Amino acid sequence: MQPTAPAGRRTGIHDTDGMAVASFVLGLLGLLVLNVFLGPSAIVLATVALWRGTARRGRALLGLGLGVADLVVLAVLMQADGTISWSF
């Protein structure tokens, strides 16, 4: 029989903190490259981290905002260029 975690201890908190940081990093990178993939990934990771109650709530909210900004930048550049891809 395996021992269980104490009742007051939250398990998996490092996972949610990692998701919050990853959403921030992916959202930031998405502003530069591959925003069609990195933006939605940042949004999903931030949402899951917030739903699970991360201790890094601010980082998750920044990741969420950057993920949305990635998609907005993509939409604006697609309208300006007329294609799904864009270049400088």
Side-chain angles (χ1 to χ4, degrees):
M1 190 163 156
Q2 294 183 4
T4 59
R9 185 174 163 203
R10 289 176 33 187
T11 58
I13 191 69
H14 295 293
D15 293 340
T16 58
D17 289 349
M19 281 189 241
V21 172
S23 71
F24 173 72
V25 171
L26 290 177
L28 198 57
L29 285 175
L31 289 174
L32 302 173
V33 294
L34 296 173
N35 48 4
V36 71
F37 299 112
L38 297 180
S41 298
I43 292 170
V44 168
L45 283 173
T47 304
V48 171
L50 289 170
W51 182 69
R52 289 186 179 180
T54 182
R56 296 182 184 243
R57 182 171 170 79
R59 190 76 41 99
L61 290 172
L62 278 172
L64 185 64
L66 286 170
V68 170
D70 292 346
L71 297 179
V72 168
V73 166
L74 178 66
V76 167
L77 291 173
M78 282 174 36
Q79 288 297 322
D81 193 16
T83 64
I84 193 164
S85 63
W86 57 274
S87 61
F88 290 109

